[in-house]
Amino acid sequence: MTKEDFQQKLKDLKLSLTDFAKLINTPYATVQNWTRENHTPPSWLESWFDNYEKAKSFDSVKDEVIKLAKLFNKE
């Protein structure tokens, strides 16, 4: 993952550097360094982002299922 890919992924997921650093329990300065010249983001970020996206999708589907279940239980 390039630093450009990293920055784009954060943008796509609507995560700030601060929020992302908190999510992965890493100092902000470390995460910020991954966006600077002559620094490369760690290789594990791709799989982390994949899992994060899947978890967000799962949460969205789960919330919809719960809404539908509540709707059907009222009838």
Side-chain angles (χ1 to χ4, degrees), residues 52-68:
Y52 181 80
E53 286 178 294
K54 288 176 187 175
K56 294 295 269 182
S57 293
F58 173 78
D59 286 345
S60 178
V61 169
K62 180 187 71 164
D63 291 344
E64 288 301 314
V65 169
I66 290 170
K67 284 181 196 175
L68 288 172

Side-chain angles (χ1 to χ4, degrees), residues 32-49:
Q32 189 178 38
N33 282 339
W34 299 340
T35 66
R36 296 189 179 183
E37 204 168 314
N38 299 324
H39 288 84
T40 304
S43 60
W44 56 263
L45 282 179
E46 284 191 61
S47 63
W48 189 94
F49 281 128

Side-chain angles (χ1 to χ4, degrees), residues 1-18:
M1 173 173 276
T2 66
K3 65 182 178 187
E4 291 81 12
D5 294 336
F6 172 61
Q7 291 172 316
Q8 185 61 48
K9 198 58 119 164
L10 290 175
K11 185 178 177 181
D12 292 347
L13 295 171
K14 298 179 176 104
L15 288 171
S16 68
L17 283 177
T18 302

